């Protein structure tokens, strides 16, 4: 599957191999990891949750959008859920295109669209507390976990 959520560690090479094609002159990878410091707070670990069926559909939608915008593009996206420790890989985006510039642009487009439309949220655990962050743009808070029905 080119678009998936997993609760297992992500193998970057496996995701990349999904987009290798003879016509491609470039493959770009975005590997998002869990960072230790966020806004001056020391993170201990994160918990990602998602509305799985919709999240996979939205990841596929992003892939389709990229294929429409960049001729010859191929895309694979894997996002992890569950508990992630510092430096764990949270998301891998692989994009191949005939030319490198398009691969870079399409990959950046993918991560920004994930944050805009994919129903994945996280709970940050710090040394001095924890908080459900909400949507990935951090514009909507979900104090008790995922969104309430009817709220994006």
């Amino acid at each position: 599957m080119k678009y998936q959520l997993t609760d297992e560690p992500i193998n970057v090479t496996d995701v990349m191999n999904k987009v290798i094609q003879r016509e491609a002159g470039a493959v770009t990878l975005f590997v998002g990891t869990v960072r230790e410091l966020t806004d001056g707070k020391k993170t201990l670990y994160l918990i990602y949750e998602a509305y799985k069926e919709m999240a996979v559909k939205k990841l596929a939608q992003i892939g389709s959008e990229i294929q429409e915008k960049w001729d010859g593009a191929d895309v694979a996206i894997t996002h992890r859920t569950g508990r992630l420790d510092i430096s764990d890989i949270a998301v891998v985006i692989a994009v191949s295109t005939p030319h490198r510039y398009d691969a870079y642009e399409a990959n950046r487009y993918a991560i920004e669209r994930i944050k805009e439309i994919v129903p994945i949220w996280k709970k940050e655990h710090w040394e001095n507390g924890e908080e459900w962050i909400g949507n990935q743009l951090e514009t909507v808070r979900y104090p008790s976990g995922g969104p309430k029905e009817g709220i994006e």
Side-chain angles (χ1 to χ4, degrees):
M1 292 190 322
K2 287 196 174 187
Y3 308 101
Q4 64 182 31
L5 296 181
T6 182
D7 59 1
E8 298 294 326
I10 300 171
N11 183 309
V12 176
T13 303
D14 288 349
V15 179
M16 181 182 71
N17 285 339
K18 294 176 183 179
V19 301
I20 298 292
Q21 53 180 326
R22 295 172 65 94
E23 301 80 12
V27 175
T28 59
L29 294 170
F30 174 82
V31 179
T33 60
V34 178
R35 66 179 167 263
E36 184 175 38
L37 294 174
T38 303
D39 297 328
K41 294 180 183 177
K42 184 175 180 180
T43 303
L44 301 176
Y45 63 93
L46 302 178
I47 295 178
Y48 280 98
E49 291 189 0
Y51 174 16
K52 187 172 184 172
E53 295 79 12
M54 182 60 71
V56 171
K57 287 179 184 177
K58 291 297 186 178
L59 293 175
Q61 175 186 328
I62 293 166
S64 294
E65 290 172 5
I66 288 170
Q67 290 172 328
E68 289 175 20
K69 291 172 83 64
W70 287 278
D71 190 39
D74 199 4
V75 182
I77 304 170
T78 300
H79 202 297
R80 191 159 166 204
T81 57
R83 180 187 165 130
L84 282 76
D85 293 313
I86 304 306
S87 299
D88 282 351
I89 296 172
V91 61
V92 175
I93 303 166
V95 177
S96 66
T97 60
H99 303 283
R100 69 181 176 271
Y101 181 83
D102 291 344
Y104 281 116
E105 292 298 309
N107 204 303
R108 182 178 179 141
Y109 178 88
I111 190 61
E112 298 305 327
R113 287 295 282 158
I114 287 170
K115 290 181 175 291
E116 289 174 4
I117 68 169
V118 180
I120 297 172
W121 48 96
K122 67 182 174 182
K123 186 175 192 177
E124 292 200 19
H125 292 260
W126 304 296
E127 287 181 314
N128 62 348
E130 59 189 41
E131 180 180 2
W132 281 105
I133 299 302
N135 69 346
Q136 291 201 49
L137 288 175
E138 298 185 17
T139 58
V140 178
R141 298 278 184 201
Y142 304 142
S144 61
K148 303 241 185 299
E149 197 167 317
I151 297 176
E152 295 182 22

